[in-house]
Amino acid sequence: MEKKKSLNTKDINIFKNKTFYTKTDTETRNLGKKFAGMLKPSDIVFFNGDLGAGKTTFIQGVLSYFGIKKFVRSASFMLVSEFETKSCPIYHLDLYRLDENNTLNLGIDEYLFGQGISLIEWCDRLKYYNIKKRWEVNIDYIEAGRKIKIKRIL
């Protein structure tokens, strides 16, 4: 059985290959906000999880770390939401409505390989891009809340 990690740890390296548990949306946002401290320009973050698992809730926390005050919704109907921050642009891509063959013709390369941070929901649609260097955030809804695994892949 996996050991639960405290959300109040001061060690920023806790985000490399660890599992966290959150009970509420607020805790999930707070974890996203703490995780955001690890991100730098050109980072790509893949988000995995079923519909309603909490991917967008986590992303709301990431964006709040960078000073985005407005309410962040899932980008499902727009595909990409762009946010300007003091440090770099952040792109929230939601590929739910696409299949893997459609993503190659979208022209999203500038989002994926530019100087911004790319937060990508439904990243399985990007398999043809073969992105090796990334963060992965896997969110599962469990009876007691959410199980969130964060992994760094280099």
Side-chain angles (χ1 to χ4, degrees):
M1 182 155 178
E2 294 170 303
K3 186 177 179 182
K4 292 185 181 185
K5 298 289 178 188
S6 169
L7 296 181
N8 296 323
T9 182
K10 294 179 182 176
D11 181 6
I12 197 68
N13 290 322
I14 62 169
F15 293 107
K16 294 180 181 178
N17 305 317
K18 302 291 184 190
T19 300
F20 302 87
Y21 296 85
T22 61
K23 294 179 183 175
T24 65
D25 286 352
T26 300
E27 285 183 1
T28 301
R29 280 186 206 94
N30 287 341
L31 181 61
K33 190 172 186 175
K34 289 179 182 181
F35 169 71
M38 294 291 292
L39 299 176
K40 59 189 183 326
S42 77
D43 273 349
I44 296 173
V45 185
F46 282 3
F47 288 87
N48 299 296
D50 291 334
L51 277 174
K55 298 179 295 293
T56 301
T57 303
F58 190 96
I59 288 169
Q60 289 169 347
V62 170
L63 292 170
S64 72
Y65 173 86
F66 288 98
I68 304 301
K69 304 278 189 229
K70 69 179 188 175
F71 182 74
V72 177
R73 298 180 200 280
S74 176
S76 290
F77 294 101
M78 300 181 298
L79 296 178
V80 179
S81 295
E82 298 182 31
F83 302 92
E84 287 298 323
T85 71
K86 291 179 182 176
S87 57
C88 70
I90 299 178
Y91 310 115
H92 177 200
L93 291 83
D94 189 322
L95 306 177
Y96 176 71
R97 302 204 177 281
L98 302 175
D99 66 37
E100 60 195 37
N101 296 317
N102 292 348
T103 57
L104 285 173
N105 300 323
L106 283 178
I108 59 174
D109 295 49
E110 69 183 75
Y111 297 118
L112 298 175
F113 307 113
Q115 292 303 307
I117 296 170
S118 296
L119 310 172
I120 306 166
E121 295 186 53
W122 304 99
C123 53
D124 58 315
R125 275 58 166 189
L126 293 177
K127 86 175 194 181
Y128 291 120
Y129 280 92
N130 197 23
I131 299 169
K132 296 197 185 302
K133 184 179 174 187
R134 65 186 184 271
W135 286 95
E136 281 190 10
V137 178
N138 298 296
I139 303 176
D140 292 308
Y141 186 77
I142 58 174
E143 189 174 317
R146 292 180 177 108
K147 177 180 175 182
I148 303 170
K149 287 185 177 183
I150 300 175
K151 184 168 37 169
R152 181 70 170 145
I153 299 172
L154 298 172

